[in-house]
Structure formats: C-alpha cells, structure tokens
C-alpha cells in the first residue's frame, strides 16, 4: 500500500526548525525536572510499600483515604483498578523506613490490615499482594535501569556500525536519546509516576524507533548507489520521501494499538501506554528530522571519498 505517489516534500529544509522545537521541549522538560527535584519516581525506584486490596464492591477512593488518615498515611498514592474492585496503595519509604527499634514496615503493615478490616469487615476485603521495596533495592533498581538503557544504546551503535557505518549508529542513538528525553519531559510536565512499567515502555520505544530509522538508513544507502551524482542532502530527502508511506503506516498501526490501551487498558498500564504514545510519535519525528539530518551534517564535516 502506497499512501503517497511522487511526493517530494522538502524535509531537509526544515530540519533546523524541527531541531529547535525539540531543544525547546527538552530544555523545558529538564527545567521542570530540576524545579520538581527530579522525576516522580514510583515505589520501585524510591522504595516503600505497594499494597493491593480487593473489595466485594467497587471501593470509594475518598473512603479508602479516610481509613489511611486514621493511621497517618493519608498522603499515600491510591490507584483504583477498574473491573477488579480493588485498589493499589503506594506508601513512601519514609513511612516504612527502619529505625532503632527495628523495621517499621511490619508495624505499618499490621496497622493497615487492622484499619481496613475494622472499617470494611475482615471477610469483605482480601489482600491480593504486599510488596516492600527497601531504599537500597530501589537505588539498585534505579542504577540497573540506567545501565539497561545505556547498554541498549551501545548495542545499537555497535550493530549499526557493523551493518552500515559508525555515523549511522551514532545518528540513530542520538535520535533515541532525543525520544527518551521527550518522553521523560512529558512525564515531568504532567507529574506522572515513573516506575518499572514505564521503564519497560522506554525500552520498547527504543526498539520501535530504531527499527523505523534503519529502514530510512537502508534506503539512503541504496540511493547512494543508484544516484551517485546527487548531492547528499537531496539524496537523504529523496530517501525520506520514498519511505514516507511505510513510516506513516507502521507508526499509525502501532499508535492505534497503544491509544486503545491508553483509553481502555485501565490504570495499571495507563502510564505504560502513555509513554508509548509519546515515544512512538517522537520516534517517527526524530527518524525524519533528527537521525537523517545528523547524517547530512556529518557528511559536511567528514565528506565521503568518491
């Protein structure tokens, strides 16, 4: 299926405008993170307790918070799980940190259990899961998350350097860094929680975005052989236009799926789907306006031997 025939939009002409827009968004995102003291990290990374409680009927969040208030935990994050009559409570690590008397976690766990059983009845609630993440484990997960992302980038550079040239690998990874920063910026703007699920979304979008970039790179390499006398910017622009239908069809298919997840998937995967929606859009944009233009500027600095 070919959406466009003989299209020749000048993408290259507007590359610096596009890069400027990206820099503005990323700079605003970084400033937002600095003002807010970083991303809104979930229990997975900052430590604390995650507890899921199932009820006979759909629980009222205000009522649940009033129960938590009786044990001074009203500032905890409460997340309703649709279609399961349950809630997820996230308690900050400060409330369950160890002290000289031992682990406060066990005491808090007991307090929550008694408070909810007294309010709703012992046989009318069920504790589906209780997960405790200590500060050291949260710190360890944070380090591993950063390493996983960096190693994925290094792997992509090595692979693309082997399949194409080093400049292709570098351009692809710079575009991926752009995609990750754009996604994190929107998480900071909207104060959304960054947890292990969102990290999985980030790694997924890295794979999706680089796949689309490789398609254009492959066409550029092919066009270099077919049109050796074309100047490089025109050749790159030609390749982008030739693969535009494929890029749009692939992206729309993926975005439709994650938009459905975002709208109807429930709160558990809401942030996961949101990260993918932003990441897929950014990935398509960066393939055209970030990765390909980097090749043009690289060619200016290090011209190919003809």
């Amino acid at each position: 299926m070919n959406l466009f025939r003989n299209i020749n939009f000048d993408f290259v002409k507007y590359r610096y405008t596009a890069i400027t827009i990206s820099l503005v968004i990323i700079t605003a995102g970084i400033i937002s993170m600095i003002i807010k003291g970083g991303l809104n990290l979930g229990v997975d990374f900052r430590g604390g307790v995650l507890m899921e409680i199932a009820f006979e009927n759909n629980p009222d969040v205000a009522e649940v918070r009033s129960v938590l208030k009786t044990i001074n935990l009203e500032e905890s994050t409460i997340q309703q799980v649709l279609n399961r009559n349950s809630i997820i409570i996230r308690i900050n690590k400060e409330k369950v940190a160890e002290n000289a008397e031992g682990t406060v976690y066990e005491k808090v766990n007991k307090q929550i259990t008694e408070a909810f059983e007294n309010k709703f009845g012992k046989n009318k609630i069920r504790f589906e899961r209780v997960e405790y993440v200590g500060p050291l484990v949260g710190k360890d997960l944070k380090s591993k998350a950063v390493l996983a992302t960096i190693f994925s980038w290094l792997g992509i550079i090595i692979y693309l350097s082997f399949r194409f040239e080093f400049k292709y690998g570098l351009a692809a990874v710079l575009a991926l860094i752009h995609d990750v920063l754009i996604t994190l910026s929107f998480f900071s703007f909207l104060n959304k929680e960054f947890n292990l699920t969102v990290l999985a979304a980030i790694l997924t979008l890295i794979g999706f975005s680089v796949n689309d970039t490789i398609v254009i790179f492959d066409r550029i390499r092919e066009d270099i052989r077919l049109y050796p006398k074309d100047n490089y910017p025109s050749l790159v622009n030609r390749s982008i236009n030739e693969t535009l239908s494929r890029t749009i069809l692939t992206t729309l298919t993926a975005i439709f799926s994650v938009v459905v997840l975002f709208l109807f998937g429930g709160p558990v995967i809401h942030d996961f789907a949101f990260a993918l929606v932003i990441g897929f859009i950014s990935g398509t944009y960066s393939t055209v306006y970030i990765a390909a233009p980097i090749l043009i500027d690289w060619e200016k600095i290090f011209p190919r031997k003809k």
Side-chain angles (χ1 to χ4, degrees):
M1 183 177 180
N2 195 350
L3 288 178
F4 311 105
R5 294 187 183 278
N6 302 321
I7 186 173
N8 188 28
F9 185 79
D10 195 352
F11 291 101
V12 171
K13 179 180 178 181
Y14 300 102
R15 66 185 189 277
Y16 292 122
T17 303
I19 289 172
T20 303
I21 292 171
S22 291
L23 287 175
V24 169
I25 295 174
I26 291 170
T27 303
I30 292 172
I31 292 173
S32 171
M33 290 180 220
I34 292 172
I35 292 173
K36 295 177 180 177
L39 288 168
N40 178 19
L41 297 178
V43 169
D44 306 325
F45 294 117
R46 69 184 175 190
V49 169
L50 183 149
M51 183 176 287
E52 181 173 357
I53 308 174
F55 296 77
E56 275 193 341
N57 301 310
N58 197 24
D60 181 66
V61 172
E63 195 174 11
V64 170
R65 193 172 296 283
S66 70
V67 175
L68 291 172
K69 190 174 182 179
T70 62
I71 49 178
N72 298 320
L73 292 176
E74 67 273 19
E75 294 179 357
S76 304
T77 303
I78 301 172
Q79 184 179 8
Q80 201 160 13
V81 183
L82 298 178
N83 304 323
R84 289 178 56 183
N85 293 342
S86 64
I87 55 159
I88 294 175
I89 300 171
R90 290 182 171 84
I91 303 166
N92 294 339
K93 66 179 180 184
E94 291 78 11
K95 296 288 185 180
V96 292
E98 294 182 356
N99 59 19
E101 298 174 354
T103 304
V104 177
Y105 156 67
E106 293 174 358
K107 179 183 174 185
V108 171
N109 190 20
K110 186 179 178 183
Q111 283 180 330
I112 293 174
T113 303
E114 290 177 351
F116 276 87
E117 287 179 349
N118 290 338
K119 176 67 178 179
F120 297 99
K122 190 173 183 179
N123 298 323
K124 296 192 177 179
I125 60 171
R126 186 174 65 257
F127 287 84
E128 297 281 355
R129 57 173 168 152
V130 179
E131 298 173 7
Y132 169 62
V133 181
L136 291 178
V137 176
K139 188 177 179 181
D140 185 52
L141 284 174
K142 201 187 301 181
S143 302
K144 287 179 178 175
V146 173
L147 287 176
T149 307
I150 291 174
F151 282 136
S152 70
W153 289 336
L154 288 175
I156 289 168
I157 287 181
I158 293 170
Y159 176 71
L160 289 184
S161 298
F162 176 72
R163 282 290 310 277
F164 297 87
E165 296 173 38
F166 173 73
K167 65 180 179 183
Y168 289 90
L170 183 66
V173 167
L174 288 176
L176 292 176
I177 292 172
H178 163 275
D179 300 338
V180 171
L181 289 176
I182 290 286
T183 305
L184 294 182
S185 294
F186 276 91
F187 265 74
S188 181
F189 294 151
L190 301 175
N191 202 30
K192 282 187 166 292
E193 186 177 283
F194 187 88
N195 50 36
L196 278 179
T197 308
V198 176
L199 174 65
I202 295 286
L203 294 175
T204 302
L205 77 88
I206 286 175
F208 172 86
S209 182
V210 77
N211 180 54
D212 196 35
T213 304
I214 287 175
V215 171
I216 292 184
F217 284 176
D218 196 44
R219 182 57 62 94
I220 291 172
R221 187 172 59 175
E222 188 178 322
D223 283 344
I224 288 174
R225 289 195 291 264
L226 291 174
Y227 311 100
K229 294 183 180 178
D230 279 12
N231 68 61
Y232 198 68
S234 299
L235 191 141
V236 170
N237 200 62
R238 178 201 296 270
S239 302
I240 294 173
N241 279 285
E242 287 175 348
T243 55
L244 190 61
S245 286
R246 187 265 182 202
T247 299
I248 291 177
L249 286 172
T250 305
T251 303
L252 286 180
T253 303
I255 287 179
F256 285 152
S257 301
V258 293
V259 165
V260 170
L261 275 180
F262 178 74
L263 294 176
F264 305 109
V268 174
I269 58 173
H270 188 269
D271 290 344
F272 173 83
F274 177 78
L276 289 182
V277 170
I278 299 297
F280 285 176
I281 294 172
S282 173
T284 304
Y285 163 86
S286 68
T287 296
V288 174
Y289 284 111
I290 304 295
I294 287 174
L295 294 179
I296 296 173
D297 291 326
W298 182 282
E299 184 74 11
K300 287 181 181 174
I301 301 171
F302 307 104
R304 284 173 295 135
K305 295 179 181 177
K306 299 182 180 178

